[in-house]
Amino acid sequence: MSGEEEENAAELKIGDEFLKAKCLMNCEVALILDRKYEQLQQMSDDPMNQVSQVFEKSLQYVKRFSRYKNPDAVRQVREILSRYQLAEFELCVLGNLCPETVEEAIAMVPSIKTRGRMHDDDQIEKMLTDLSLIKKFE
Amino acid sequence: MFFHIVLERNMQLHPRHFGPNLRDKLVAKLMKDVEGTCSGRHGFVVAITGVDNIGKGLIRDGTGFVTFPVKYQCVVFRPFKGEILEAVVTMVNKMGFFAEAGPVQIFVSNHLIPDDMEFQSGDMPNYTTSDGSVCFGAWLPLALNFCIGTIKDDFLGVINDPGAAA
């Protein structure tokens, strides 16, 4: 949004501040925003009036695009992806989009190959298989 | 992409709010002032999740207002150039289409839609390939470029899951 020096998520050039920040997958954001909405409901009869349009739209968006609804499944996804030496940003993009093939994963998160940590297509394949298993047993 | 970050802000409070509920009033004012705003650096502030620290108040010269430095945690939505994400198509016309991803609006121009997709006008305007096989008016993954999106890349365009209409 601000035209910074060659910002490019495909190469993980997102600025130090966000590289080190805690990144959230849509399913995790859904849990947080749900909790906040419940708190507001307890405090007033008209919570919808109190939240901004940004909040409403974000809540709708993350609920619609969460691949995992169960909090345990969400935790598992993060745990599984954390085993693979990914940056937080890459982890969340994969958790959000759930690519099915190795080519798709590399097309969506090119930095997993270029950054030189996951040379092995087999490793990526294993990661995607582990991810899809959670979905099956959710 | 959503992030959970710590931000800091100087909040000004009028003395009429001082009293046993000072902290609550400060937090309420923070939420009212900050939630829903957008900055180029941090993106959209979606929700404040907690207040870490409220520093000592400083009386401003010339007025009775007091400034408190407040450190708080929040969820922000900050799209990045080159990021791939899912969006919901909101409007389709022959110049391209508009989509929404959370609080952010994205425009995908005709030029960034694969050549084999043609605009079809009508009750439910959409883009379809010449053999009618692929058609979207629902949701699709797009690559972000200053909130101009593109679907002219591998694996972008229709999402495999059958979806509800936008």
Side-chain angles (χ1 to χ4, degrees):
Chain A
M1 288 167 87
S2 56
E4 279 179 342
E5 321 70 30
E6 326 151 27
E7 176 182 290
N8 189 351
E11 296 169 23
L12 255 197
K13 288 204 182 125
I14 59 177
D16 247 358
E17 186 179 3
F18 286 102
L19 264 179
K20 302 194 191 132
K22 174 119 183 97
C23 206
L24 295 173
M25 293 185 279
N26 293 344
C27 39
E28 294 170 323
V29 179
L31 296 174
I32 296 178
L33 295 187
D34 257 339
R35 209 181 313 148
K36 171 123 193 180
Y37 191 67
E38 269 167 24
Q39 282 178 346
L40 286 174
Q41 267 182 328
Q42 287 176 347
M43 297 194 320
S44 102
D45 339 293
D46 192 12
M48 257 306 148
N49 224 359
Q50 311 221 343
V51 296
S52 58
Q53 229 201 7
V54 169
F55 183 95
E56 249 184 82
K57 291 200 159 180
S58 304
L59 182 54
Q60 264 173 24
Y61 175 75
V62 294
K63 281 192 137 142
R64 187 168 184 173
F65 290 112
S66 292
R67 302 278 177 151
Y68 310 91
K69 308 279 190 235
N70 183 328
D72 283 325
V74 172
R75 228 169 309 171
Q76 269 195 312
V77 172
R78 191 165 267 271
E79 198 235 323
I80 288 188
L81 288 174
S82 306
R83 296 184 204 153
Y84 291 93
Q85 292 173 304
L86 298 161
E88 281 252 357
F89 185 83
E90 296 167 326
L91 190 154
C92 290
V93 176
L94 289 171
N96 282 342
L97 299 176
C98 290
E100 291 173 357
T101 63
V102 176
E103 292 79 30
E104 209 179 329
I106 298 178
M108 291 183 173
V109 194
S111 53
I112 57 179
K113 275 292 217 167
T114 60
R115 281 276 190 120
R117 280 150 301 149
M118 291 183 96
H119 295 292
D120 214 345
D121 277 6
D122 286 340
Q123 252 201 321
I124 305 182
E125 175 91 45
K126 174 157 195 328
M127 173 176 72
L128 298 180
T129 317
D130 288 344
L131 259 190
S132 62
L133 282 177
I134 307 183
K135 185 72 186 169
K136 266 200 209 110
F137 294 109
E138 215 208 342
Chain B
M1 177 58 72
F2 289 95
F3 292 88
H4 196 208
I5 57 178
V6 176
L7 293 177
E8 204 167 327
R9 189 183 169 86
N10 286 326
M11 304 287 314
Q12 269 200 44
L13 210 57
H14 189 280
R16 73 161 156 309
H17 300 296
F18 296 174
N21 297 329
L22 176 70
R23 194 196 151 91
D24 291 340
K25 295 215 170 149
L26 208 47
V27 173
K29 185 167 197 291
L30 176 72
M31 302 220 171
K32 195 157 81 79
D33 283 355
V34 171
E35 277 186 353
T37 59
C38 174
S39 72
R41 185 163 162 212
H42 296 120
F44 290 86
V45 177
V46 176
I48 294 181
T49 54
V51 173
D52 274 353
N53 181 42
I54 299 181
K56 291 201 187 349
L58 204 57
I59 305 179
R60 300 186 70 82
D61 288 341
T63 76
F65 280 84
V66 173
T67 305
F68 293 87
V70 182
K71 236 188 187 158
Y72 59 97
Q73 292 182 16
C74 55
V75 175
V76 298
F77 183 76
R78 173 41 161 117
F80 286 96
K81 177 177 166 181
E83 182 181 340
I84 309 269
L85 48 66
E86 290 174 318
V88 179
V89 175
T90 52
M91 185 165 81
V92 185
N93 62 38
K94 64 179 195 286
M95 305 296 291
F97 65 89
F98 281 92
E100 269 180 22
V104 102
Q105 268 235 346
I106 302 160
F107 175 64
V108 181
S109 113
N110 213 327
H111 304 290
L112 294 172
I113 297 177
D115 300 324
D116 60 349
M117 288 189 147
E118 295 246 322
F119 174 65
Q120 313 283 337
S121 55
D123 277 345
M124 280 248 296
N126 57 62
Y127 277 81
T128 314
T129 52
S130 43
D131 59 3
S133 61
V134 170
C135 152
F136 62 79
W139 66 57
L140 41 76
L142 8 115
L144 277 194
N145 187 338
F146 296 108
C147 295
I148 300 289
T150 178
I151 53 167
K152 212 173 192 176
D153 227 337
D154 296 333
F155 299 104
L156 301 184
V158 181
I159 299 183
N160 286 328
D161 298 344

